[in-house]
Amino acid sequence: LTNVDYWQGDLTQAIQPTGNHVVFLTPGNYDFHHMALNLLSLPDGQVTKITDLTSSTTEPYAGSSPGDTNFEALRAIGEQASYAWSPDGSQLAFSGVMDGPSADIYLYDTQTGAITRVSHDPAHDFAPSWSPDGNHMLYLAANSVGSGAGWLMSGVWAADGTGGNPTQLFATDSAGEEVEGWLDNTTVLIATW
């Protein structure tokens, strides 16, 4: 379908529900320079860039080293689940560092093309997850990405389905939280370690 060099290869999460798009990050090979969020249209194979995931202010972060706070913002986008479609496929939640210095959650509206910033906290936000009815969105936040022994988490957040009212559900200092799945429209199972 495409010869574009992409990464974050879990395509099961990338496929638009009830739609004809697949989302993916470029460039390939875990290159944090000029990261972009893209859509592959099916069946024609047309690739469209939704947005750059960095800005002129945050692009220099890619020249930093692991352990540097700025570099960790890029790792939050590239090394973890950084996007999720709403159940009806009308919106895409994703992590970006366009406004820096931390990774934040944004919403992309597939009908209008509008991008709305959801989170404003100082941590690196990642792993958005939607409730089955699309009325709630959960995301995780980390103070530090770490060097192999886990992430230094700061909390778990929720917003409404339009991205409004971001609220920290609880703070944590664990080495990692993972959303295992939604039990119903208001209850989510989270693993921690």
Side-chain angles (χ1 to χ4, degrees):
L1 292 173
T2 179
N3 62 359
V4 175
D5 192 12
Y6 72 92
W7 49 296
Q8 254 197 4
D10 182 5
L11 294 180
T12 56
Q13 191 170 342
I15 299 169
Q16 180 187 31
T18 68
N20 63 332
H21 292 104
V22 178
V23 64
F24 63 96
L25 298 182
T26 55
N29 300 320
Y30 288 91
D31 181 358
F32 294 128
H33 289 280
H34 307 291
M35 289 193 298
L37 188 68
N38 307 274
L39 282 182
L40 168 67
S41 177
L42 301 174
D44 63 14
Q46 180 179 349
V47 175
T48 305
K49 179 166 65 171
I50 296 173
T51 187
D52 292 315
L53 295 174
T54 61
S55 67
S56 59
T57 303
T58 63
E59 179 60 30
Y61 295 177
S64 301
S65 304
D68 181 279
T69 300
N70 295 333
F71 190 73
E72 290 184 355
L74 301 178
R75 289 180 65 199
I77 298 168
E79 294 181 2
Q80 294 295 316
S82 64
Y83 49 74
W85 288 102
S86 62
D88 66 0
S90 67
Q91 296 187 91
L92 177 68
F94 66 94
S95 295
V97 67
M98 293 91 78
D99 296 304
S102 61
D104 289 301
I105 299 294
Y106 297 83
L107 286 181
Y108 168 70
D109 186 306
T110 60
Q111 298 300 311
T112 67
I115 295 175
T116 306
R117 186 176 177 185
V118 174
S119 65
H120 293 82
D121 60 286
H124 304 301
D125 300 325
F126 65 100
S129 177
W130 293 86
S131 63
D133 62 5
N135 289 334
H136 306 283
M137 182 182 47
L138 190 89
Y139 56 94
L140 307 177
N143 288 323
S144 172
V145 176
S147 58
W151 294 42
L152 177 57
M153 300 298 294
S154 69
V156 176
W157 291 71
D160 63 36
T162 62
N165 303 312
T167 305
Q168 187 174 31
L169 299 180
F170 62 90
T172 180
D173 60 359
S174 73
E177 250 70 22
E178 295 178 5
V179 176
E180 300 299 333
W182 288 80
L183 302 178
D184 56 38
N185 290 323
T186 60
T187 309
V188 64
L189 180 64
I190 298 173
T192 186
W193 63 282

